[in-house]
Amino acid sequence: MRIPTTFFCPILVCFGFFQRCYGAGHHVLAAKVPIAKNQTKLANGETEVHHRPKRGWIWNQFFVLEEHIGPDAQYVGKLHSNSDKGDGSVRYILSGEGAGSIFIINEVTGDIHATESLDRERKAHYVLHAQAFDRNTEKPLEPMSEFIIKVQDINDNAPTFPDGPFVAAVPEMSALGTSVYQVTATDADDPTYGNSARVVYSILQGQPYFSVDPKTGVIRTALANMDREAREHYAVVIQAKDMAGQVGGLSGSTTINITLTDVNDNPPKFQQKNYQLYVPESAQVGKPVGKIKANDEDLGINAEIKYSLINPEGAAMFSIATDWDTREGIISLKKPLNYERKKTYTLQIEGVNTHVEPRFSYLGPFKDTATLKITVGDVDEAPVFSMDYYIMDVYENAQIGTEVGAVTARDPDSKNSPVRYFIDRGEHGEKYFNVDMDSGVIKITQSLDREDIPWHNITVMASEVDNPSLVSRVPVTVQVLDVNDNPPEINTDEEVIVCESLRPGQVIQTITAVDKDDFANGQRFSFSLPSGIPVNPNFTLKDNKDNTASISTRRRRFSQLVQELYELPVVVWDGGEPELSSTSTLTLRVCPCQRGGRLQTCQDKMGLLSSAGLSTGALIAILLCIVILLAIVVLFITLRRSKKEPLVISEEDIRENVVTYDDEGGGEEDTEAFDIIALRNPAAAEELKFRRDVRPERARQRNGPKRGYDSPPEPDQVDVQEFIKQRLVEADMDTSGPPYDSLQTYAFEGQGSPTGSISSLDSPGTHSEQDYNYLDDWGPEFEKLAELYGEDMNAAETDMAVAMTAAT
């Protein structure tokens, strides 16, 4: 039977108390308790009474001291079962942690011993199991029971500081008792048993500057206003002792390196109150000429110093800047020095801390001043020009040797040495100017042209006669003034486009002029046609009085076929002194523009093809293809005409009853029915067939001379009715003019209409003086009509222009 260990603990405590009171030194056995009897019948007829005793384990010790030193094994305790009668029939067995090696048991008596020295810090307790067997039968008398052997602590570990040594910092001038750092020691002993792990702190080194709290280990300042500048680093040694600091306790120590951090508790100080500095008068403006420094015992930003000049005399000529790396004041020159004018300067320099702590204001102002006396040294200087730069001007028609201007320089030294002048030829290869060596007068050496170079930049140098190595330079700019020496020109290189359908007085182009001269002489233009030649019958020119002129048409309509190009000379004058003029000839090209003049350029067909990017070879190939196609079409028509097929297939034909209608309406006489059977007989046609699509005689009269037609009869000799009848006969006999089933002829207007005819067939052929240009404004519906009448007018005007040209 397994008895819980927690059950034995209070019993053992009581047992120990009982032993101490009565001096008992023997093991206590379990008390016998009456047990119910069970009877068993034996073989001999007798009955045996079995008593069931209460079983359990008893031992009187479960602690073992650590670090045991001795020749014999340390006695731990005894295991005893109440089944053990003391006759050696019970055998005790021990198992678990350390059984058989660290802990051994006497199988007969149950005594347990520790054979090794134990360390509580490595292992604080061991869990073991015990069991009792009958030595004879090897049967367990008790179930396996678990018990614990604890290692009792002794003070065998000293306090330690595992993270030491330590580094800490505290500001200088801190108040008394300012916390600096806290240390904590560790002790491996049992903190729950005795005072082995109870630690107290003390300071071994670092007094009287610092102290430590015995219980918490907090280090504090023990002196007020410690000065970093006097001492910056401190090594403080802290000791930790266990056993509450009693005699015999173990101890350990560590070092804390404490540094006093800087605060601004020291003002800047110049090493001396008066300084002297020598500066030559040749010192360059903006360059450093000297340095000055104030000392500050603080560090970092607490030692930063800003320098300044506090007197007006010094601030006017010099400046001072702070070098933050070296904490020096850099003195530079603001204006050129002149020994002949002023030989000494006095500078009042102030150095001030940039970061000040108000709590240290009682230590005084954190700034200091010093006086710097600067002595100017005399130096042989180069000549000085009277001006920093010179601007001169001269007219472009000035003669060679004309004076442009003069430069002046002098020796700034007291000896006033003579000065010589010359031009720096290294910058300009062309020698347009020269300077007189003694007087500094600049003159022209070559002809000037404002339109070529309007400005000339030269450099004049001056040197002392006594010391030619000292040279000074000055820039001189010469402006070339304009003279009206360039005539104006028409500002156009392109052809002027003239549309064929232009009206008289319509503006074709607005022209302008350009002049190479400047604004004063080149921006007042006037235009006109040349005088002394006949009046131009085609175009006129109007001066718009705003530096432009307008070209207008003088007559109606132009024809590209009659004349494509016209030339118009134009004279333009400028308003300069003297007044200049030039004549430019404009080329005007006639083009068949769209209505409204939307097309402004025109080219011939070959030009269009060339502009499209076609080469000569490509054009030849296209022409060959066109010739081949034309040959094929002609061959096809020839083959078709050679076929002999009847025109009528069936006897019944819907074309037998063709009725013609005269559009104007003439009453009953307009309708004539006739038999068209004659159209079916190809033999009835004449061998010589006249074309039915010939234009009327009036149209042939206009275009005939150009295309080789015979001259028609006079308009009063034309019989229109006979002409139409003749064409009707030709149409009746022409079997090759399709289509046959939709043929209509308009031959006679009829004589029965009371309204009369509005046709132009009977109109007289004489030229009308009426202006039909208003048809251009009636819209697209009358566009064709406007072109027809426009062509008549254009033809008449063209004939008149040709006659006038021939007369001229």
Side-chain angles (χ1 to χ4, degrees):
M1 181 177 65
R2 181 176 180 180
I3 301 175
T5 305
T6 56
F7 177 78
F8 283 106
C9 291
I11 297 178
L12 292 176
V13 172
C14 295
F15 174 73
F17 179 77
F18 180 78
Q19 276 189 326
R20 291 186 180 182
C21 293
Y22 293 95
H26 302 284
H27 303 299
V28 178
L29 302 177
K32 295 182 180 181
V33 182
I35 306 298
K37 298 180 180 180
N38 294 325
Q39 295 181 355
T40 303
K41 188 174 182 178
L42 301 177
N44 56 7
E46 296 180 356
T47 58
E48 180 181 5
V49 179
H50 297 279
H51 300 280
R52 185 177 182 182
K54 182 179 180 181
R55 300 179 181 181
W57 294 103
I58 298 176
W59 60 90
N60 61 354
Q61 191 173 1
F62 51 91
F63 291 97
V64 58
L65 291 176
E66 68 169 338
E67 305 295 342
H68 174 72
I69 300 175
D72 300 328
Q74 182 181 183
Y75 180 74
V76 178
K78 175 187 284 293
L79 294 179
H80 183 73
S81 174
N82 54 4
S83 299
D84 190 357
K85 305 301 183 181
D87 54 359
S89 61
V90 178
R91 183 166 66 91
Y92 296 96
I93 301 299
L94 186 65
S95 62
E97 295 179 343
S101 57
I102 300 177
F103 302 102
I104 60 175
I105 186 171
N106 191 320
E107 294 183 353
V108 178
T109 62
D111 293 330
I112 301 174
H113 291 81
T115 61
E116 298 179 6
S117 178
L118 303 180
D119 187 359
R120 188 199 69 84
E121 286 70 36
R122 293 182 59 188
K123 191 171 180 63
H125 65 275
Y126 296 84
V127 179
L128 294 97
H129 300 86
Q131 196 170 12
F133 291 90
D134 190 321
R135 187 178 295 275
N136 298 321
T137 62
E138 292 298 329
K139 293 182 179 181
L141 300 176
E142 298 289 345
M144 182 178 294
S145 179
E146 180 182 279
F147 64 96
I148 297 175
I149 298 177
K150 293 186 177 180
V151 181
Q152 189 173 358
D153 182 56
I154 63 173
N155 189 18
D156 59 343
N157 291 280
T160 60
F161 298 90
D163 297 330
F166 304 94
V167 177
V170 62
E172 64 173 332
M173 309 298 290
S174 297
L176 181 66
T178 302
S179 176
V180 179
Y181 197 75
Q182 183 179 11
V183 294
T184 301
T186 59
D187 196 318
D189 293 326
D190 189 359
T192 63
Y193 179 77
N195 294 327
S196 298
R198 184 178 177 185
V199 178
V200 295
Y201 301 94
S202 61
I203 185 169
L204 299 182
Q205 180 181 329
Q207 294 176 336
Y209 306 104
F210 301 95
S211 64
V212 64
D213 188 289
K215 295 181 179 180
T216 62
V218 175
I219 302 173
R220 302 178 184 275
T221 58
L223 290 178
N225 299 328
M226 288 189 292
D227 190 4
R228 183 199 65 82
E229 287 74 27
R231 183 177 178 182
E232 184 177 3
H233 301 287
Y234 296 85
V236 179
V237 179
I238 300 298
Q239 183 188 62
K241 189 174 183 180
D242 59 11
M243 297 300 292
Q246 298 177 5
V247 178
L250 303 179
S251 64
S253 62
T254 187
T255 301
I256 300 94
N257 295 313
I258 300 175
T259 301
L260 297 182
T261 58
D262 183 65
V263 297
N264 191 10
D265 57 343
N266 295 279
K269 294 291 183 182
F270 287 101
Q271 294 182 353
Q272 57 193 53
K273 290 298 182 181
N274 296 290
Y275 296 86
Q276 291 185 354
L277 182 64
Y278 174 83
V279 179
E281 63 174 338
S282 60
Q284 298 181 10
V285 176
K287 298 295 183 179
V289 296
K291 299 179 182 179
I292 192 170
K293 183 178 182 180
N295 295 327
D296 194 323
E297 296 180 355
D298 296 322
L299 300 175
I301 61 174
N302 298 318
E304 290 182 356
I305 303 172
K306 182 179 180 181
Y307 299 93
S308 60
L309 299 175
I310 59 177
N311 64 319
E313 179 186 1
M317 291 295 297
F318 298 90
S319 63
I320 187 168
T322 303
D323 188 339
W324 300 108
D325 295 331
T326 62
R327 298 190 180 92
E328 295 177 331
I330 309 301
I331 303 171
S332 301
L333 189 62
K334 291 175 63 177
K335 297 180 181 180
L337 297 175
N338 193 332
Y339 173 81
E340 288 72 24
R341 293 183 180 180
K342 190 173 180 60
K343 297 179 176 59
T344 60
Y345 292 91
T346 301
L347 279 63
Q348 295 292 330
I349 302 175
E350 182 182 62
V352 182
N353 279 143
T354 58
H355 298 80
V356 179
E357 296 188 23
R359 64 191 183 101
F360 299 121
S361 59
Y362 66 92
L363 298 177
F366 284 78
K367 62 182 180 180
D368 195 14
T369 59
T371 302
L372 175 62
K373 184 178 181 180
I374 296 179
T375 301
V376 180
D378 187 17
V379 177
D380 191 5
E381 301 174 81
V384 178
F385 285 94
S386 60
M387 299 176 64
D388 294 335
Y389 59 91
Y390 294 85
I391 298 178
M392 304 175 185
D393 54 58
V394 62
Y395 283 99
E396 61 178 331
N397 61 352
Q399 299 296 325
I400 297 176
T402 301
E403 181 178 335
V404 179
V407 296
T408 303
R410 65 175 183 84
D411 182 11
D413 299 325
S414 57
K415 59 182 180 179
N416 195 14
S417 177
V419 177
R420 295 290 182 265
Y421 305 94
F422 54 96
I423 293 179
D424 186 0
R425 300 297 182 183
E427 298 182 0
H428 305 282
E430 298 178 348
K431 300 179 181 179
Y432 288 97
F433 305 93
N434 197 6
V435 62
D436 187 87
M437 182 180 298
D438 297 324
S439 64
V441 175
I442 300 175
K443 297 181 180 180
I444 300 174
T445 60
Q446 293 184 14
S447 298
L448 303 177
D449 187 0
R450 189 202 67 86
E451 287 71 34
D452 186 16
I453 303 177
W455 295 85
H456 293 267
N457 297 316
I458 61 176
T459 301
V460 178
M461 298 186 294
S463 64
E464 297 181 9
V465 176
D466 298 338
N467 189 0
S469 62
L470 296 176
V471 179
S472 58
R473 290 174 171 82
V474 66
V476 178
T477 301
V478 179
Q479 180 185 8
V480 181
L481 301 179
D482 183 54
V483 175
N484 193 23
D485 57 349
N486 292 279
E489 297 177 356
I490 300 298
N491 187 20
T492 179
D493 294 331
E494 299 179 356
E495 296 179 342
V496 179
I497 302 302
V498 179
C499 294
E500 290 183 337
S501 59
L502 289 178
R503 305 174 187 175
Q506 190 168 350
V507 177
I508 302 174
Q509 180 87 10
T510 299
I511 60 175
T512 60
V514 294
D515 197 325
K516 295 181 180 179
D517 295 320
D518 63 4
F519 179 81
N521 296 319
Q523 295 297 323
R524 297 190 301 273
F525 301 118
S526 58
F527 304 84
S528 69
L529 295 177
S531 61
I533 62 175
V535 177
N536 193 313
N538 301 310
F539 306 99
T540 182
L541 183 71
K542 177 185 177 182
D543 191 347
N544 298 324
K545 305 301 183 180
D546 59 353
N547 294 332
T548 64
S550 300
I551 301 175
S552 304
T553 57
R554 187 181 291 274
R555 65 182 180 85
R556 177 188 302 276
R557 298 187 180 274
F558 294 84
S559 175
Q560 189 181 28
L561 299 177
V562 175
Q563 184 173 352
E564 182 179 3
L565 298 178
Y566 293 88
E567 291 184 352
L568 180 65
V570 178
V571 183
V572 57
W573 289 271
D574 60 17
E577 289 293 338
E579 189 175 48
L580 300 179
S581 65
S582 66
T583 302
S584 300
T585 301
L586 303 180
T587 301
L588 292 81
R589 179 182 293 274
V590 178
C591 295
C593 302
Q594 298 177 1
R595 298 193 59 78
R598 289 190 294 270
L599 181 61
Q600 296 299 325
T601 59
C602 59
Q603 296 177 353
D604 54 11
K605 296 181 179 180
M606 295 302 294
L608 291 175
L609 293 176
S610 299
S611 64
L614 297 178
S615 62
T616 305
L619 293 176
I620 295 175
I622 293 174
L623 293 176
L624 289 177
C625 292
I626 293 174
V627 171
I628 294 173
L629 290 176
L630 290 176
I632 294 174
V633 171
V634 171
L635 180 61
F636 176 77
I637 294 174
T638 304
L639 293 176
R640 184 170 182 178
R641 287 185 176 182
S642 63
K643 293 182 179 179
K644 303 296 182 177
E645 295 181 0
L647 295 177
V648 179
I649 300 176
S650 62
E651 295 182 356
E652 295 183 359
D653 199 325
I654 60 173
R655 296 174 292 177
E656 293 181 356
N657 201 2
V658 178
V659 180
T660 63
Y661 296 92
D662 292 321
D663 291 346
E664 298 184 4
E668 296 295 334
E669 297 180 5
D670 285 348
T671 303
E672 296 182 10
F674 59 92
D675 190 4
I676 63 170
I677 297 177
L679 296 176
R680 302 176 184 173
N681 186 9
E686 297 179 357
E687 294 181 0
L688 179 61
K689 297 179 178 58
F690 299 96
R691 295 297 303 273
R692 295 167 53 243
D693 54 349
V694 178
R695 300 179 62 182
E697 293 296 335
R698 177 163 182 80
R700 293 175 56 192
Q701 179 182 358
R702 183 180 72 246
N703 297 330
K706 286 187 174 290
R707 304 195 179 189
Y709 293 113
D710 296 334
S711 300
E714 296 297 329
D716 55 353
Q717 298 178 1
V718 176
D719 188 349
V720 178
Q721 186 173 1
E722 292 298 329
F723 173 79
I724 294 177
K725 287 181 179 181
Q726 181 181 356
R727 293 296 180 264
L728 179 59
V729 173
E730 295 174 0
D732 292 341
M733 295 182 179
D734 186 5
T735 60
S736 62
Y740 310 113
D741 56 353
S742 60
L743 177 64
Q744 285 186 346
T745 62
Y746 302 90
F748 186 65
E749 298 183 5
Q751 300 176 356
S753 175
T755 305
S757 176
I758 61 172
S759 174
S760 61
L761 297 177
D762 294 331
S763 300
T766 58
H767 179 68
S768 176
E769 297 296 335
Q770 184 177 353
D771 187 2
Y772 296 97
N773 286 328
Y774 61 88
L775 295 176
D776 295 337
D777 303 329
W778 284 14
E781 295 81 359
F782 297 90
E783 182 176 355
K784 188 63 178 179
L785 185 60
E787 290 180 359
L788 291 175
Y789 281 97
E791 290 177 358
D792 295 341
M793 297 300 297
N794 192 15
E797 292 174 1
T798 302
D799 297 340
M800 183 181 0
V802 171
M804 291 179 66
T805 304
T808 302

